[in-house]
Structure formats: C-alpha cells, structure tokens
Amino acid sequence: MTTRIFHILMVFAMIFWGASWISTKVLTTYVNEYELVFLRMGICFITMFPIIYFYKLSFKIDLKSFYLILVASVILTFYSIVMFLGVEHGTGSFGGALVTTLIPIITFILIAFLHKKTISLKHSFALILGAFGVLNMLNIWNFDLYEIFSKDNIYFLLAAFLWSILTIVTSKATKINAFVFTFYTYIISSSTLFIFFVDANIFEKVLDFDFIFWFNIFVITILSTTFATSIYFIGASKLGAKEASSYIFLVPASALSFGAIFLGEEITFNVIIGTIFTIIAIYILNNLNFFKLFKKN
C-alpha cells in the first residue's frame, strides 16, 4: 500500500468514526452498553476473519504481543462502555467532537511523560490552546458546576484518556500484524462480555429489530470498526502513535455534521470555537502537513 493511498484511507476512516458517534446515539434506544459492545466486537471479528485468511496473515503471536492484546482488550472494552454511557446521557455530536480532539493532546502529553521529554515552548503553547478549546466545549465559562461535571462530560473525558492509552499500547505491538492484533482484541473483548455481562437471548432479541437498528449496526461495525479502527491501528503501528492520532482532527467535523443532519442536534457556538482551537493545537503538536497527500512518495 502506497503512502498516498494509506493517508486517503485514514481520512475515510476518521469520517466513519464521526458517523459512529451518531449511530451509537440511535442504538442506545435498542440495547444496553454491554449488549452493544458485544455485538460490535463480535460482528467485527467475524467479518475480519475472511480478510486475514484471504491475505494469508499469520495468526501466530509471541508472548509480548499476547500481553499487549490482553491489555488492549480490557482498555477497548472499557472505552466502548463509557463511550456508550456518555452518548446515552449526552449527544453524539458533542461526544465525537470533545473526545476526538482530546485524544491527540492527551496522547502527546503521555508520550512526553513516558519518554521523559521536555515540552518545548511551541508545544506548550499548543497544549494551552488545546486546553482553552476543551474548556470552551465544556462551556466552563458559565461556571455551572452541574453542567461542567455532568455524566456525559465525565464519561467523554474518561473515554479520551482510555483511547490515548490504547493508542500507545497498540503502537508497542511491532511483532504482530496490526490487523491480526485487532482481530484478537475483538475476540477477547466480545467473549468476556458475553460470558459475564450479556444474556444469551441477545440473538433472539436483535432479530426483531427494524432496519434502522441494522443500518446503524452496519455503520458502527463494518464501516467504523472493521474498516476504520483497523486502519487506525495499522497507522499506529506504521506511523507511530502520535502521527496516527493526529488524523483524528477530522472526526469532530464529521460527528458535528452528521449529528446536525440526522438527529437535529444543536451545535453551539462554544463547541464550534472549542473544536477550532483544539484542531489548531493538534496541528501544532504534530507538525502536520496537509499537503502531503498530494506529494509523490
């Protein structure tokens, strides 16, 4: 896969991620958080198996990769649950904007801390700018503690932190194909949920659901997870955690747009301004070059 094609796939992956926040909001009226995460992970690993078989990827894993898969499975499960709870109590468009702009900033800070690197003046400015943007999105200027520390905000902040850790963990798995790594992660996550948290009648239950349910399941599984998340994990492995996370700047606009169009969710001025500031911060933190898509390899 050429660099140009890979970057284009990353762009589409982020757009599908934005759509998944809106689809998740719709699905909260059908199933609970455990059932949705189980269905999402279960469908994804089933659809990934033929791809792994077709490309003749090896299922073998070394001990280090196995440990990383276990850790990633736990983190991914918790992330998916708190994401569901945040969207259930709040709005999909706000969650998509807040979480995905926070992820690159948190990832940058964690990597700097883990590698004991000094943060430069330029990057310090970007972090302050990003913090200002996040505070705007949380509408902290109204000094309404109930609104600032509402359930959806807490869940969304926790989701951003968990995904940042997941990005770093995934980037450490260099001795296993990223697609296979993702496949095993989904198997462990879905199996654990089914054994401890999901009733066995879930399969009969979903058969009675309508087209809206199945369409949104398709969005959050085939488009957002099997395709988009796998592309993202491959990006974390090939490009590094920091550069891969920088592509998430496309998700807020996607989530906000889909939320306004399909759910009629209100896009406040604070969210728009906050999103713009955090995107600029991400740009500075990762030294992005938006014209690299048009450059020859």
Side-chain angles (χ1 to χ4, degrees), residues 131-141 269-271 273-274 277:
F132 179 78
V134 171
L135 292 177
N136 257 290
M137 297 170 74
L138 293 176
N139 199 25
I140 198 171
W141 317 120
F269 180 73
N270 279 344
V271 171
I273 293 299
F277 275 111

Side-chain angles (χ1 to χ4, degrees), residues 230-245:
S230 297
I231 289 294
Y232 179 82
F233 282 169
I234 294 172
S237 177
K238 289 182 175 294
L239 305 176
K242 189 171 69 173
E243 185 171 348
S245 66

Side-chain angles (χ1 to χ4, degrees), residues 15-31:
I15 293 174
F16 291 144
W17 264 4
S20 73
W21 285 87
I22 310 308
S23 290
T24 299
K25 179 66 176 181
V26 174
L27 292 169
T28 59
T29 61
Y30 289 89
V31 292

Side-chain angles (χ1 to χ4, degrees), residues 108-166:
F108 182 91
I109 295 174
L110 289 176
I111 291 176
F113 175 78
L114 291 173
H115 292 278
K116 299 179 180 179
K117 291 184 178 180
T118 303
I119 300 177
S120 67
L121 182 62
K122 180 183 75 171
H123 290 156
S124 297
F125 169 75
L127 291 173
I128 294 173
L129 192 65
F132 179 78
V134 171
L135 292 177
N136 257 290
M137 297 170 74
L138 293 176
N139 199 25
I140 198 171
W141 317 120
N142 287 339
F143 294 100
D144 185 342
L145 292 180
Y146 178 79
E147 181 179 349
I148 295 169
F149 296 104
S150 62
K151 287 183 178 180
D152 53 317
N153 286 348
I154 298 299
Y155 285 132
F156 290 147
L157 291 173
L158 180 57
F161 182 76
L162 288 172
W163 191 268
S164 297
I165 297 176
L166 180 61

Side-chain angles (χ1 to χ4, degrees), residues 182-220:
T182 308
F183 174 77
Y184 281 123
T185 301
Y186 292 158
I187 289 179
I188 294 175
S189 299
S190 59
S191 299
T192 303
L193 285 168
F194 183 73
I195 294 172
F196 295 105
F197 300 102
V198 177
D199 197 301
N201 67 3
I202 181 65
F203 302 106
E204 297 179 9
K205 178 180 177 180
V206 298
L207 290 177
D208 295 328
F209 290 150
D210 55 18
F211 172 77
I212 295 176
F213 170 84
W214 288 107
F215 174 78
N216 286 283
I217 281 290
F218 174 78
V219 172
I220 71 166

Side-chain angles (χ1 to χ4, degrees), residues 23 48 50 88:
S23 290
M48 289 176 70
E88 183 181 37

Side-chain angles (χ1 to χ4, degrees), residues 48-57 59 179:
M48 289 176 70
F49 181 80
I51 300 174
I52 295 175
Y53 181 79
F54 177 80
Y55 284 102
K56 298 180 180 179
L57 302 177
F59 285 95
F179 204 78

